[in-house]
Amino acid sequence: MRIAVVGSGYVGLVAGACFADLGHEVVVVDNDERKLAALRSGHVPIHEKFLPELLSRHRGQRLTFSDDLQEAVRLSSVIFVAVGTPPTGSGEADLSYVESVAREISGGINSYKVVVEKSTVPVYTSEWVRKVMLRNGADPAMFDVASNPEFLREGTAVTDFLFPDRIVIGCDSGRSAAVLREIYAPLTEGRYSERPDAIPQPDRASIPAPIIVTSTKSAELIKHASNAFLALKISFINAVASICESVGANVNQVVHGVGADSRIGPKFLNPGIGYGGSCFPKDVAAFRAVARECNYEFRLLDEVTRINEEQRQRFLRKIHSALWTLRGKNLAVLGLAFKGGTDDIRESPAIFLVQALLQEGSKITAYDPAAMERTREVISSGIKFANSAYEAAHNADALLILTEWEEFANLDLLRLRSELKYPIVIDGRNLYDPEVMAAQGFTYYSVGRAACHPDGVPAAALRNGKKA
Ligand code: UGA
């Protein structure tokens, strides 16, 4: 099938590359000439596993890049709209890019087309896209508008796309549903995973991928409700973690017991410094705004956001209670990205904390496997960047773990302790077992678990891993 994907951001680029890998002819359209030139010349703008392979496999063949939207529409049967929907000041999604794309698409309709929303958009957007296209002269018999929300996570976006838990297509006509079913047939019939050149499947992949066909409005709501519910799970467990800290319980044990209930499940119950990224904070606010417009005060979502913001403040207070004053202290920071496996720092709790610590006069040496370049663009002074976790820890007064990168969960603890000036670790992602840390000579603080001190040895008496 010939597909146009409008927008070469995270979702657009991954979707375009994956559609090409499923065997479709794809043109990715963007109005940023610089971005297009970079993509054409082989540059991969985001840190995403398997994306470089897919781009080099299909670039210039089944996957092309263009700035001519109307021409792309004319040549394609399906147009996926994956442009940005940034938040406005009041939390609503700004749909002006979606509107201007809809306007332009109308001018390129020369045969039946399915226009598919792939960006996360509020319910009723499909109705608006349709209205805008009709106002701009599109023949109602020549197009349908559908919704096909994307559930990919940054860091595992390619495998999430090719081995999804479910594919949701929201269509109000049988004709558009048939087109979308055909596009995803290699996944829903299990053919893709059998190919020798398929991207390796993750553990416990659902093959063939289940497909859920709904009305367009239901599909729009499924996306917002899914993200809001996942954010709610995280805020819920962070609130439980705070109670654990007050009463001396262990949040890991609580999660184990709660998550074992198959109706609840253990996923997305990892406590920490709160969720970040370009999706949850924005989508919870946008869903809240949609509900308000529909005359429903979804106050539960206000509380989800409040707990998330409070979680960062609690962590700051924890750093204070561990280190007393912060002015002039050398702090090692592991992790700047909003989560492991990505270079994305948008709404990163780690960046928020680094900025707060710098403001209090701390000196930061940070290490992140992928996000240091991007951090340099937003924080220019008071911070140094290291080439490894150990280099960051060298001579630091304490080590903070702010992102759940796998490599931070597997550090050589003996080496780490010998690098630190004081063996103090404040872990915002619960990557270590407190008892192991204490046995290794660390004073260790984490989230929802009691602080641990080196067995029988006061923290201040330890220097460079040895008793002073
Ligand atoms: C999220 C959703 O998981 C995807 O399904 C969705 O497609 C995407 O948003 C989107 O709407 O585009 P993503 O933002 O990439 O994906 O990241 P997540 O893995 O969901 O993590 C979000 C944040 O929650 C991170 O800061 C992470 O550290 C935090 N988190 C996650 C926790 O604090 N605890 C958890 O148990 C899980």
Side-chain angles (χ1 to χ4, degrees):
M1 182 124 15
R2 294 189 82 111
I3 295 176
V5 177
V6 191
S8 67
Y10 229 102
V11 170
L13 193 57
V14 171
C18 290
F19 282 141
D21 209 42
L22 295 182
H24 303 298
E25 296 286 324
V26 182
V27 53
V28 172
V29 184
D30 205 293
N31 55 11
D32 183 338
E33 244 319 315
R34 267 198 8 231
K35 240 172 137 181
L36 292 175
L39 284 165
R40 283 190 199 108
S41 69
H43 177 70
V44 185
I46 49 178
H47 178 88
E48 198 59 58
K49 206 169 170 192
F50 300 124
L51 188 60
E53 283 94 316
L54 289 189
L55 290 177
S56 73
R57 207 182 267 186
H58 303 297
R59 185 188 299 115
Q61 296 170 51
R62 280 212 295 270
L63 180 65
T64 53
F65 299 95
S66 166
D67 64 350
D68 190 340
L69 176 53
Q70 294 202 348
E71 173 71 359
V73 171
R74 278 191 282 276
L75 293 175
S76 307
S77 311
V78 188
I79 300 101
F80 284 88
V81 180
V83 295
T85 52
T88 61
S90 56
E92 289 162 35
D94 175 355
L95 298 171
S96 52
Y97 299 119
V98 176
E99 181 175 355
S100 72
V101 165
R103 221 180 293 132
E104 223 180 308
I105 289 174
S106 345
I109 292 195
N110 55 351
S111 60
Y112 176 74
K113 314 277 177 196
V114 186
V115 179
V116 191
E117 306 162 347
K118 211 154 192 37
S119 316
T120 302
V121 290
V123 64
Y124 291 126
T125 304
S126 61
E127 270 187 10
W128 271 109
V129 168
R130 187 174 171 76
K131 265 189 225 166
V132 168
M133 289 181 60
L134 292 174
R135 274 181 197 164
N136 286 279
D139 175 348
M142 297 280 266
F143 75 96
D144 274 309
V145 180
S147 165
N148 170 221
E150 194 43 67
F151 302 101
L152 52 83
R153 292 161 298 174
E154 291 187 18
T156 51
V158 169
T159 38
D160 285 346
F161 191 100
L162 294 169
F163 302 97
D165 284 352
R166 80 297 204 188
I167 294 164
V168 173
I169 56 174
C171 299
D172 298 325
S173 80
R175 192 174 181 189
S176 57
V179 170
L180 282 169
R181 276 183 189 278
E182 192 185 328
I183 289 178
Y184 285 107
L187 301 179
T188 58
E189 291 170 4
R191 279 184 275 122
Y192 176 75
S193 59
E194 285 167 7
R195 270 178 26 196
D197 64 342
I199 293 295
Q201 64 190 63
D203 294 343
R204 289 184 292 277
S206 307
I207 299 173
I211 185 159
I212 298 172
V213 184
T214 67
S215 70
T216 312
K217 280 183 194 154
S218 298
E220 290 170 326
L221 275 175
I222 286 169
K223 174 64 191 187
H224 263 163
S226 300
N227 271 6
F229 192 79
L230 291 169
L232 177 144
K233 266 188 116 174
I234 298 168
S235 278
F236 184 87
I237 207 60
N238 280 333
V240 171
S242 300
I243 298 173
C244 288
E245 287 181 12
S246 304
V247 301
N250 180 325
V251 73
N252 284 8
Q253 294 173 358
V254 175
V255 166
H256 188 56
V258 172
D261 186 325
S262 60
R263 293 168 303 174
I264 299 173
K267 291 186 183 162
F268 271 70
L269 287 179
N270 297 321
I273 50 177
Y275 59 78
S278 66
C279 301
F280 286 171
K282 168 174 85 80
D283 291 351
V284 171
F287 196 29
R288 175 74 175 99
V290 167
R292 186 173 290 129
E293 250 179 68
C294 304
N295 291 322
Y296 182 76
E297 286 302 325
F298 207 156
R299 293 204 180 86
L300 180 62
L301 298 183
D302 293 337
E303 197 54 21
V304 168
T305 301
R306 192 198 61 74
I307 293 170
N308 195 52
E309 283 163 7
E310 167 68 14
Q311 202 61 11
R312 303 168 178 190
Q313 299 296 343
R314 281 182 69 87
F315 195 72
L316 261 184
R317 291 202 290 275
K318 190 167 287 174
I319 298 171
H320 269 284
S321 70
L323 303 178
W324 193 17
T325 65
L326 295 180
R327 181 162 303 281
K329 292 236 160 92
N330 291 312
L331 302 179
V333 163
L334 299 190
L336 298 161
F338 82 96
K339 67 170 192 177
T342 176
D343 60 349
D344 196 341
I345 56 164
R346 285 176 289 176
E347 299 282 325
S348 169
I351 296 290
F352 170 89
L353 287 164
V354 164
Q355 281 169 328
L357 293 167
L358 288 173
Q359 225 160 31
E360 294 207 38
S362 303
K363 294 179 214 145
I364 306 274
T365 306
Y367 170 68
D368 186 290
M372 295 195 290
E373 245 353 273
R374 290 190 190 256
T375 303
R376 272 196 192 96
E377 290 163 16
V378 295
I379 306 178
S380 49
S381 64
I383 187 167
K384 283 194 286 193
F385 295 95
N387 291 313
S388 71
Y390 307 103
E391 192 185 312
H394 183 68
N395 222 19
D397 291 296
L399 178 93
L400 314 181
I401 302 177
L402 302 184
T403 306
E404 66 275 43
W405 280 97
E406 226 173 282
E407 71 168 83
F408 298 159
N410 296 301
L411 296 171
D412 174 343
L413 294 176
L414 209 66
R415 182 167 168 206
L416 185 70
R417 202 182 53 171
S418 71
E419 292 290 352
L420 285 165
K421 185 165 164 199
Y422 301 103
I424 302 172
V425 173
I426 310 172
D427 181 357
R429 299 294 190 167
N430 286 8
L431 297 188
Y432 287 93
D433 179 336
E435 282 176 23
V436 170
M437 291 302 275
Q440 293 283 331
F442 289 94
T443 293
Y444 177 71
Y445 300 83
S446 57
V447 180
R449 305 180 299 181
C452 272
H453 303 280
D455 292 340
V457 184
L462 278 163
R463 282 236 171 172
N464 295 333
K466 301 175 203 101
K467 278 189 190 180

